[in-house]
Amino acid sequence: GVFTLKLESTQRQNVDIKVMNISGVTVFNVGQINVNGSFNQQLDLSNLAEGIYSVFIIGDELVESRKVVIRR
C-alpha cells in the first residue's frame, strides 16, 4: 500500500509521477513537482487491487520507470 519515493537531482526541474496498471490505465498521478536536491513523496496505493503497476517519473530531462507489486 504505502511507500516513499525518493528523488535526487543536481539541478532544479519539474517532475510528474504517474502510476499505471498493467492495462495502461493511469491510477495515480501527481504533476509539476519542483525537485531541487533531494525530494521525498509518499505514495498511498492502498486502495489499488493486487497486481503489478508501473511507476513513471517524468522530468525535464529524464524518464524513469520502476515496477511495484501490490500483494495482500
Side-chain angles (χ1 to χ4, degrees):
V2 179
F3 66 97
T4 302
L5 180 67
K6 296 180 181 182
L7 304 173
E8 300 232 358
S9 177
T10 58
Q11 57 187 341
R12 179 182 302 241
Q13 62 179 312
N14 290 322
V15 299
D16 297 334
I17 300 169
K18 184 185 295 189
V19 179
M20 299 176 81
N21 66 16
I22 200 154
S23 300
V25 176
T26 300
V27 294
F28 182 89
N29 191 24
V30 178
Q32 295 301 305
I33 299 168
N34 189 346
V35 177
N36 187 17
S38 65
F39 174 82
N40 295 326
Q41 173 74 40
Q42 189 172 48
L43 302 181
D44 184 359
L45 305 180
S46 58
N47 63 326
L48 299 179
E50 286 188 347
I52 300 171
Y53 295 86
S54 296
V55 179
F56 294 94
I57 299 111
I58 304 161
D60 298 332
E61 297 179 13
L62 73 99
V63 176
E64 292 284 332
S65 66
R66 298 289 186 266
K67 298 287 186 198
V68 173
V69 178
I70 296 178
R71 285 188 249 181
R72 296 194 173 37

